[in-house]
Amino acid sequence: MNIPTDPEEPGTNVNMTKKWLVRYSEIFLKSDPVRRQWERVLINNIRQLIPDLKIKSERGRIWITGDLDPDKLRHVFGIVSFSEIEHIPRDVPLETALIEYCRTHGLPGARTFALRIKRVGKHSFSSNDKAIELGDVVRKAFPHLKVNLAVPDVEIHIEIRQDECYLYDKVIKGPGGLPLGVEGTLVALVSGGIDSPVAAWMMMKRGCRIVPIYVALDTFLDDTVLARADRVVKVLRRYQPDIRLRVIHDPYLAAAKEELIRTRQEKYTCIFCKRRMYRIAQAVAQEIGAKGIVNGESLGQVASQTLDNLVVLSDAAEIPVYRPLIGFDKADAIAIARDIGTYEESTSKATGCKAVPKGPSTKAHLKEILEMEKNMEATKMPLPV
């Protein structure tokens, strides 16, 4: 690129075009056919959240022109980072544009600065050589400044791509992951507590579109729990605009618990309840063509989530059950919930499940549970899907 080296007088008004530069990483590592396909999905996801934008893509970069709320880009999976940039007109020397940009982006009041140069294409200079050259230009215009490459007060990025130049001073972190939808659909069992929405979000981040279901246990859960679950899913709508909570009413647990009390096996209430939920979720998955179930179970966190009980629960589903929180401490899930915005709603006031027995089983045996189900009238109840 032929970059003029005689800057105009400092202070010259330079009319640069504002754009947004979006970066991705994992997509970049895929084969060309997959990369192109996933890039199209990412662009469509951006358009779904922010319509009426002009979008152009090239390998590793997406360029956006138009008015947008940058906060929305924070919720688009697949985006690693993004920046508001200024495109330098080709007839304006880079040095002139750089000085004007520095004047309006904090350098007059700063003590230290750093220039970060990125080149794409063939050029007669290295990034380091250009950084030294332009750094001297900046220090001449702002004699009070010192270079600090480690922790500068102001950091200016200069991206030179073929014969185009761009300037920006902030790199805003995106959620990362894969574009929503590239891996298919999962059914999520959502209770409205802390863990299940975090688990759903984690699978969203890995490219899965989520269909959340709430199994309303008639007589044991009231509307406060349902309302909380609905509010939590609305928070997740920032990441998946079409997400809606599907509520499924089921009288099974009331009938099953009555039989368990009569046979003095009430300690297995939670096991029977969750096996039923797995079957309902599987029926929904088969109905919509989803590829599995996701829930917020974490090993050993509650009685039903011991290793023995998880074996019994998993048997109830014939499709994969994904547990992204399986090795997490509660503090880990809370940290993610705070970060993605679900924590406040997940901890809002709601009544608990009234079906939980005083001494729930932590060591159920599959053979025994299967025999009990075989002899229970409640097991014959059709799935409410």
Side-chain angles (χ1 to χ4, degrees), residues 105-354:
H105 287 78
L107 258 69
R111 292 177 299 176
T112 61
F113 80 105
L115 297 183
R116 312 296 189 194
I117 311 290
K118 181 177 179 60
R119 299 175 306 127
V120 175
K122 293 183 178 180
H123 301 281
S124 61
F125 52 84
S126 68
S127 295
N128 187 57
D129 290 342
K130 183 56 65 174
I132 293 172
E133 176 189 329
L134 294 176
D136 289 340
V137 172
V138 172
R139 284 188 295 172
K140 182 178 178 181
F142 304 96
H144 68 286
L145 286 177
K146 292 184 178 180
V147 174
N148 184 335
L149 298 180
V151 189
D153 293 337
V154 177
E155 191 172 63
I156 303 294
H157 297 260
I158 304 167
E159 190 149 331
I160 303 170
R161 302 182 70 84
Q162 308 299 343
D163 57 350
E164 304 288 350
C165 289
Y166 305 89
L167 300 171
Y168 56 94
D169 64 340
K170 291 183 177 63
V171 177
I172 304 169
K173 185 180 179 182
L178 303 179
L180 187 71
V182 298
E183 289 291 350
T185 301
L186 293 176
V187 171
L189 283 165
V190 175
S191 67
I194 292 172
D195 297 334
S196 56
V198 169
W201 179 88
M202 291 179 70
M203 297 308 289
M204 285 180 181
K205 185 176 180 179
R206 299 313 302 164
C208 299
R209 190 168 293 278
I210 295 296
V211 175
I213 66 171
Y214 173 88
V215 180
L217 308 173
D218 291 349
T219 76
F220 295 114
L221 289 175
D222 61 24
D223 289 342
T224 64
V225 186
L226 172 57
R228 183 181 65 181
D230 190 55
R231 292 195 302 271
V232 166
V233 169
K234 286 179 179 176
V235 174
L236 294 178
R237 202 171 294 166
R238 301 172 188 170
Y239 300 91
Q240 182 182 317
D242 62 350
I243 196 170
R244 296 292 185 276
L245 182 64
R246 179 170 174 177
V247 181
I248 300 172
H249 290 274
D250 185 26
Y252 165 82
L253 185 59
K257 188 173 178 67
E258 186 177 320
E259 291 189 62
L260 290 171
I261 291 174
R262 187 173 64 250
T263 58
R264 297 184 179 182
Q265 299 288 358
E266 188 183 3
K267 65 180 181 179
Y268 293 122
T269 299
C270 296
I271 299 294
F272 278 83
C273 174
K274 296 198 78 171
R275 281 174 64 86
R276 177 72 168 188
M277 287 184 179
Y278 275 35
R279 290 178 174 127
I280 291 172
Q282 176 174 290
V284 173
Q286 291 170 340
E287 172 192 316
I288 65 176
K291 298 178 180 179
I293 302 165
V294 57
N295 63 39
E297 290 168 342
S298 173
L299 186 60
Q301 191 171 115
V302 296
S304 64
Q305 295 173 21
T306 63
L307 205 55
D308 290 293
N309 285 351
L310 289 176
V311 170
V312 175
L313 296 180
S314 297
D315 170 78
E318 298 175 358
I319 60 176
V321 178
Y322 299 99
R323 302 178 175 98
L325 301 184
I326 193 68
F328 278 38
D329 293 335
K330 192 68 176 183
D332 298 328
I334 289 174
I336 296 176
R338 290 185 187 277
D339 187 52
I340 66 178
T342 57
Y343 180 78
E344 184 175 349
E345 295 297 352
S346 290
T347 55
S348 60
K349 190 173 182 180
T351 59
C353 178
K354 300 173 184 176

Side-chain angles (χ1 to χ4, degrees), residues 52-123:
D52 302 321
L53 296 175
K54 183 179 179 181
I55 301 178
K56 183 182 76 171
S57 65
E58 58 184 80
R59 192 176 181 89
R61 296 287 191 272
I62 294 174
W63 307 90
I64 300 176
T65 305
D67 293 330
L68 62 83
D69 178 358
D71 188 61
K72 290 188 176 181
L73 290 181
R74 296 176 186 267
H75 300 101
V76 179
F77 292 115
I79 294 178
V80 174
S81 65
F82 57 96
S83 302
E84 185 177 26
I85 65 171
E86 295 199 14
H87 178 211
I88 304 173
R90 293 189 184 185
D91 60 346
V92 176
L94 172 56
E95 290 84 350
T96 301
L98 175 60
I99 296 304
E100 181 66 18
Y101 187 86
C102 289
R103 287 184 184 283
T104 58
H105 287 78
L107 258 69
R111 292 177 299 176
T112 61
F113 80 105
L115 297 183
R116 312 296 189 194
I117 311 290
K118 181 177 179 60
R119 299 175 306 127
V120 175
K122 293 183 178 180
H123 301 281

